């Protein structure tokens, strides 16, 4: 009986050994037939992105107020404040630099002399506008101006009250985007007149005038 049991066990071991060898030989063949599918990498060609050309032209209209003292011969103040507006046009040859022209007119609103019909300043100037912060919103600009200033007033039939001279100015402009090419601008400028206004009625006490303005800028 022992011999029979031993024969059966040996027979089982031989079958198991043969089965393991058959499985080992079949595995490489199966590995050659069945492979993990790997997608081939695809490379998309980058299409060149066309940069949007910045607007070359700009127009602006603003309300303005300037401060500078006009005094009579006795030292009394004839006017401190003038109110009006200006119109500007720019051409931009480079991204950060624009050149243009400006027409401005301001009239005194606080004169205490009822005999005067008006006291006003009118100027035509060349402008330079340089971008100080090109990568920010809102943007900050440097404004430089230079041109002719006309001083006018009306006092009865007197004709020697008007005069003109040249002036320069410099300041900063803050532009806030509103909608597409429309912006709001707030500007401060310090103007210097080479020859102060002076006649037999009054004179300017300083060559400098402080000016602030708020307006709309349209780019196209």
């Amino acid at each position: 009986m022992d011999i029979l049991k031993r024969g059966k066990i040996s027979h089982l071991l031989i079958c198991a050994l043969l089965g393991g060898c058959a499985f080992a030989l079949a595995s490489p063949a199966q590995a050659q037939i069945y492979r993990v599918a790997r997608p081939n990498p695809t490379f998309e060609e980058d299409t060149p992105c066309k940069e949007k050309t910045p607007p070359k032209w700009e127009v602006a209209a603003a309300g303005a107020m300037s401060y500078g003292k006009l005094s009579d011969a006795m030292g009394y103040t004839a006017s401190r404040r003038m109110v009006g507006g200006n119109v500007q046009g720019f051409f931009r040859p480079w991204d950060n630099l624009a050149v243009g022209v400006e027409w401005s007119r301001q009239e005194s609103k606080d004169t205490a002399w009822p005999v005067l019909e008006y006291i006003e300043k009118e100027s035509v100037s060349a402008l330079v506008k340089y971008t100080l912060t090109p990568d920010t919103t809102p943007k900050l600009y440097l404004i430089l101006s230079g041109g002719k200033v006309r001083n006018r007033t009306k006092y009865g039939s007197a004709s020697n009250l008007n005069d003109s001279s040249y002036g320069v100015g410099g300041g900063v402009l803050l532009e806030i985007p509103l909608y597409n090419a429309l912006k709001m601008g707030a500007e401060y400028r310090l103007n210097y007149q080479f020859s102060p206004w002076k006649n037999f009625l009054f004179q300017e006490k300083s060559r400098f005038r402080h000016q602030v303005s708020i307006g709309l800028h349209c780019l196209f």
Side-chain angles (χ1 to χ4, degrees), residues 102-119:
E102 176 188 64
W103 173 83
S104 175
R105 180 184 177 276
Q106 297 178 13
E107 182 178 351
S108 173
K109 297 297 183 181
D110 61 350
T111 180
W113 294 359
V115 295
L116 295 177
E117 295 185 21
Y118 58 81
I119 301 175

Side-chain angles (χ1 to χ4, degrees), residues 26 34 49 69 78 82-83 86 112 127 131 170 181 190:
Y34 300 102
C49 180
K69 188 176 180 181
M82 291 186 178
V83 179
N86 58 58
L127 294 177
T131 310
L190 181 62

Side-chain angles (χ1 to χ4, degrees), residues 113 115-118 151-163 197 199-202:
W113 294 359
V115 295
L116 295 177
E117 295 185 21
Y118 58 81
N151 305 304
R152 293 196 291 254
T153 188
K154 178 73 171 175
Y155 176 64
S157 59
S159 60
N160 59 342
L161 301 178
N162 303 332
D163 72 356
W197 193 3
N199 52 53
F200 69 88
L201 281 180
F202 50 78

Side-chain angles (χ1 to χ4, degrees), residues 10-81:
S10 299
H11 180 72
L12 291 174
L13 290 174
I14 291 171
C15 291
L17 181 61
L18 292 174
C21 291
F23 179 79
L25 293 173
S27 295
Q30 294 293 330
Q32 292 178 358
I33 297 173
Y34 300 102
R35 295 181 180 178
V36 177
R38 295 181 179 178
N40 294 326
T42 58
F43 299 94
E44 296 182 358
E45 294 183 359
D46 294 334
T47 56
C49 180
K50 294 182 179 180
E51 295 184 358
K52 186 177 180 181
T53 303
K56 290 292 185 181
W57 298 93
E58 176 183 351
V59 293
M65 182 182 298
S66 66
Y67 297 87
K69 188 176 180 181
L70 284 174
S71 300
D72 62 11
M74 301 297 294
Y76 294 103
T77 300
S79 174
R80 290 182 181 273
R81 185 182 74 251

Side-chain angles (χ1 to χ4, degrees), residues 126-189:
L127 294 177
V128 175
K129 179 180 177 182
Y130 179 75
T131 310
L132 294 175
T133 58
D135 300 323
T136 65
T137 300
K139 291 184 178 181
L140 187 66
Y141 299 87
L142 172 67
I143 297 291
L144 300 176
S145 65
K148 191 171 185 177
V149 182
R150 297 182 179 89
N151 305 304
R152 293 196 291 254
T153 188
K154 178 73 171 175
Y155 176 64
S157 59
S159 60
N160 59 342
L161 301 178
N162 303 332
D163 72 356
S164 62
S165 69
Y166 292 92
V168 295
V172 290
L173 167 68
L174 184 69
E175 282 188 354
I176 303 172
L178 296 179
Y179 178 77
N180 290 341
L182 187 64
K183 300 180 180 181
M184 182 181 72
E187 179 186 336
Y188 165 78
R189 197 185 309 178

Side-chain angles (χ1 to χ4, degrees), residues 88-107:
Q88 300 171 345
F90 289 97
F91 171 70
R92 190 180 303 276
W94 298 282
D95 290 346
N96 294 334
L97 183 68
V99 293
V101 293
E102 176 188 64
W103 173 83
S104 175
R105 180 184 177 276
Q106 297 178 13
E107 182 178 351

